[in-house]
Amino acid sequence: MIHFLAFFLIYPLIVIISILPFRILYWVSDFFFLIIYYVLGYRKRTIMGNLKIAFPEKSEQELKRIMKKFYHHFLDIFLEMIKTFTISNEEILKRFKLTNQKELDALMSRNNNVILMSSHYANFEWLFSLNLRVKHKGFAAYKKVTNKYMNNFIVRSRSRFNSTLVPTKEMIQTMEENHAKNINCVYGMLCDQSPKLVKTHHWSNFFGVMVPVISGTEMLAKKYNYAVIYIETTKVKRGFYEAKMEILSENPREVPDFEITDLFMKKLEAKIRENPEYYFWTHKRFKYMKTE
């Protein structure tokens, strides 16, 4: 009942925000920035701690500038996520473009199944729109929200873009069933989370320190020998993004174990260094770490 009441109260606000024109949406974002950054100081200690580890060569002032820019971007992403509930297919395709569509089409024509590796960089929420650009059936792993009413609403909303959301714990079973039925699929995974130590099988270099990384995506690719691609997203300007597809391996079984995962982490770090304010620093990215 508490979850229902919470959803009942917040739902009208979500709808109102989602139908706002983008220009007004960003006015709202700027207003919330003042509250979150200056008044609440939401996770400032965690963010600054991450930045100090990632960029030890930068001064305190430089890190504070990055953090301030991050908060602006963080709130933009949050409201763009809400905007997703009502945005049209045409609008999201205009705002989230794929720069090498022909290369992706060629890859899909050669491979019946593809695994997409991406991260919490730029607008990871709008990655779902990529399923509007491919013929393969799209599946995306996600973590369930505790409030089942909000969870169902989010799933329905994101499924509008020809994507089926699958709880992370059910993804292996889903892939097994689709593989048995010979269904052509593309599986989207955000692969930069920090796993629990008891579930860690590999540590990778990330900003000069060794951190536990998710290697399950690579292992699934090897199990079925599915092609693996990396999607790199660039923020062009406020509300506009470009994604680029890059092949990591079309025959993952021929690649040494963990090499694909390490390559993904290397490419992610290089992208973050370009514009660190667009990475999701609110989580403890270096909760567990060790030097080589």
Side-chain angles (χ1 to χ4, degrees):
M1 180 59 70
I2 294 177
H3 285 176
F4 173 76
L5 289 175
F7 176 72
F8 180 78
L9 292 173
I10 199 173
Y11 178 76
L13 180 61
I14 291 174
V15 173
I16 291 172
I17 292 177
S18 71
I19 63 177
L20 292 175
F22 274 95
R23 180 166 57 91
I24 299 177
L25 191 77
Y26 293 127
W27 289 352
V28 176
S29 178
D30 291 339
F31 171 74
F32 281 131
F33 165 79
L34 298 176
I35 298 174
I36 298 297
Y37 185 80
Y38 288 107
V39 180
L40 300 180
Y42 175 71
R43 295 199 177 184
K44 272 189 175 181
R45 184 176 299 179
T46 297
I47 296 168
M48 182 56 72
N50 285 332
L51 292 175
K52 284 183 176 180
I53 294 173
F55 305 102
E57 75 283 1
K58 295 186 182 296
S59 68
E60 190 83 11
Q61 284 302 111
E62 289 178 301
L63 295 178
K64 285 182 178 179
R65 281 196 292 270
I66 293 173
M67 182 169 67
K68 195 171 184 178
K69 289 180 179 179
F70 162 75
Y71 274 97
H72 276 293
H73 173 70
F74 172 71
L75 288 162
D76 280 359
I77 291 295
F78 179 73
L79 292 177
E80 286 168 1
M81 176 190 71
I82 295 177
K83 186 69 176 176
T84 307
F85 297 146
T86 57
I87 195 171
S88 67
N89 289 357
E90 294 75 18
E91 182 73 13
I92 201 168
L93 288 175
K94 182 180 73 174
R95 290 177 173 273
F96 196 95
K97 295 182 178 180
L98 183 65
T99 60
N100 54 347
Q101 180 73 50
K102 290 183 179 179
E103 287 87 343
L104 180 61
D105 291 341
L107 174 76
M108 293 293 189
S109 67
R110 297 192 302 269
N111 296 274
N112 293 333
N113 293 275
V114 175
I115 292 180
L116 182 158
M117 297 181 74
S118 193
S119 66
H120 293 82
Y121 184 88
N123 192 327
F124 47 90
E125 286 289 338
W126 285 359
L127 280 169
F128 291 100
S129 68
L130 290 176
N131 288 299
L132 296 172
R133 302 179 181 276
V134 300
K135 295 180 180 179
H136 286 38
K137 188 172 178 58
F139 292 85
Y142 85 105
K143 187 176 181 179
K144 280 187 174 182
V145 177
T146 304
N147 187 316
K148 68 176 183 179
Y149 302 100
M150 180 59 70
N151 182 80
N152 293 338
F153 179 67
I154 291 174
V155 170
R156 288 198 305 272
S157 174
R158 292 175 177 173
S159 299
R160 293 171 51 230
F161 305 121
N162 295 340
S163 178
T164 300
L165 267 69
V166 180
T168 304
K169 295 180 179 179
E170 299 175 16
M171 181 55 81
I172 294 177
Q173 179 183 346
T174 299
M175 293 180 72
E176 185 68 37
E177 293 174 353
N178 291 337
H179 185 79
K181 296 176 182 178
N182 293 316
I183 301 175
N184 293 353
C185 302
V186 55
Y187 298 96
M189 316 275 192
L190 294 178
C191 305
D192 59 327
Q193 299 98 324
S194 178
K196 295 180 179 179
L197 287 181
V198 294
K199 296 183 178 180
T200 297
H201 300 285
H202 182 60
W203 294 65
S204 188
N205 190 304
F206 190 53
F207 287 95
V209 297
M210 301 300 291
V211 298
V213 293
I214 292 176
S215 56
T217 303
E218 178 180 342
M219 293 302 100
L220 286 171
K222 287 176 177 290
K223 179 179 180 180
Y224 300 107
N225 206 32
Y226 290 169
V228 183
I229 65 175
Y230 168 59
I231 293 292
E232 180 181 271
T233 306
T234 298
K235 187 171 186 176
V236 180
K237 59 181 180 179
R238 210 173 194 183
F240 289 88
Y241 304 85
E242 289 183 351
K244 180 178 71 173
M245 181 276 294
E246 183 176 347
I247 299 172
L248 297 185
S249 176
E250 289 196 66
N251 298 287
R253 287 177 180 169
E254 299 177 1
V255 181
D257 285 349
F258 307 119
E259 190 172 293
I260 293 174
T261 301
D262 286 341
L263 180 58
F264 165 76
M265 295 301 294
K266 182 179 179 179
K267 290 182 177 297
L268 173 59
E269 179 181 331
K271 187 61 181 178
I272 293 171
R273 287 187 180 277
E274 289 180 10
N275 295 102
E277 63 268 25
Y278 298 147
Y279 190 54
F280 220 57
W281 295 109
T282 53
H283 292 68
K284 292 183 178 180
R285 297 299 176 186
F286 304 96
K287 184 176 182 179
Y288 306 106
M289 63 179 183
K290 59 185 180 181
T291 56
E292 289 189 278

